[in-house]
Amino acid sequence: MINLNNNKRTASKKKKSPGFIVTGTIGGAIMLLFAFTPIPQQSKVWTAPASAAKVTNPVASDSKSIDAGKIIYKNKCYDCHGKKGKGDGPKSGDLDKNPQDFTKEDFKKQTDGDLFWKISEGKKPMPAFKNELTKEQRWQVINYVRTLGKK
Ligand code: HEC
């Protein structure tokens, strides 16, 4: 949109060469094209910043943390992500975007740091959990989510 304002300004300054105006207009047209091209929701990949991906999970993945994570999952995540993490929870039908399938390879290859960042920050319609769950709880729920893809 910045580009469009520039066009207006250049157009009003009569002294500028017409070539400049044409280039600006084409640039503006291309920008408009991008702004109005519908992007299918599912193709927008959600990636965590590289620095977040490097953060390691300080909570051991043992039965204690997995059990704690399971309770958190049931209370806070199950409605959308479903019992087995396939994104088919009872509320998933109401969402304008499908939650990812936690049992798929694309999901599993992400680091715990990736998941921690996503769970903390959220992305509409997925809520942010940084104020709702402690750091420890977020790591615990990650340890539980990791068990969903196994078997
Ligand atoms: C209101 C529904 C909803 C709730 C509740 C919810 N999520 Fe999500 N979640 C989503 C949706 C939708 C996405 C996909 C967002 C996107 O890609 O834009 C998502 C994405 C994710 C992702 C990223 C997956 C990926 O590969 O990018 C993780 C991890 C995740 N959720 C974990 C959780 C955890 C853990 C909880 C509970 C603490 C939770 N979510 C609660 C709807 C929800």
Side-chain angles (χ1 to χ4, degrees), residues 76-77 80-81 97 100 107 110 118 123 126 129:
K76 308 273 183 186
C77 325
C80 298
H81 288 281
K97 179 152 198 206
Q100 272 83 343
F107 177 81
Q110 298 182 70
K118 289 182 179 183
K123 183 169 186 270
M126 154 112 178
F129 285 97

Side-chain angles (χ1 to χ4, degrees), residues 44 46 72-73 76-81 91 95 97-100 102 106-107 110 115 118-119 123-127 129 133 141-142 145:
K44 271 191 264 170
W46 184 17
I72 298 162
Y73 186 87
K76 308 273 183 186
C77 325
Y78 163 82
D79 279 354
C80 298
H81 288 281
K91 220 176 131 184
L95 304 173
K97 179 152 198 206
N98 287 336
Q100 272 83 343
F102 291 160
D106 271 356
F107 177 81
Q110 298 182 70
L115 305 184
K118 289 182 179 183
I119 294 165
K123 183 169 186 270
K124 238 181 139 195
M126 154 112 178
F129 285 97
L133 297 174
V141 81
I142 289 168
V145 161

Side-chain angles (χ1 to χ4, degrees), residues 5-114:
N5 289 336
N6 278 343
N7 288 348
K8 248 184 236 157
R9 239 178 281 139
T10 20
S12 60
K13 276 190 216 152
K14 294 247 157 56
K15 270 180 217 157
K16 285 270 190 258
S17 82
F20 191 79
I21 296 168
V22 171
T23 323
T25 311
I26 292 171
I30 291 171
M31 269 191 66
L32 272 178
L33 206 78
F34 272 107
F36 290 105
T37 305
I39 301 163
Q41 295 270 313
Q42 291 296 331
S43 74
K44 271 191 264 170
V45 182
W46 184 17
T47 34
S51 56
K54 285 192 207 116
V55 178
T56 51
N57 189 339
V59 177
S61 175
D62 52 21
S63 59
K64 199 173 144 235
S65 74
I66 291 171
D67 285 351
K70 186 176 182 174
I71 295 166
I72 298 162
Y73 186 87
K74 261 193 170 166
N75 291 333
K76 308 273 183 186
C77 325
Y78 163 82
D79 279 354
C80 298
H81 288 281
K83 194 167 180 221
K84 301 211 164 112
K86 289 187 178 290
D88 57 355
K91 220 176 131 184
S92 62
D94 303 338
L95 304 173
D96 52 13
K97 179 152 198 206
N98 287 336
Q100 272 83 343
D101 183 342
F102 291 160
T103 66
K104 288 259 170 72
E105 284 312 314
D106 271 356
F107 177 81
K108 289 198 267 182
K109 72 185 179 200
Q110 298 182 70
T111 66
D112 281 4
D114 281 319

Side-chain angles (χ1 to χ4, degrees), residues 125-138:
M126 154 112 178
F129 285 97
K130 62 182 164 196
N131 296 324
E132 208 174 317
L133 297 174
T134 64
K135 283 185 179 172
E136 189 185 16
Q137 287 176 316
R138 278 173 266 160

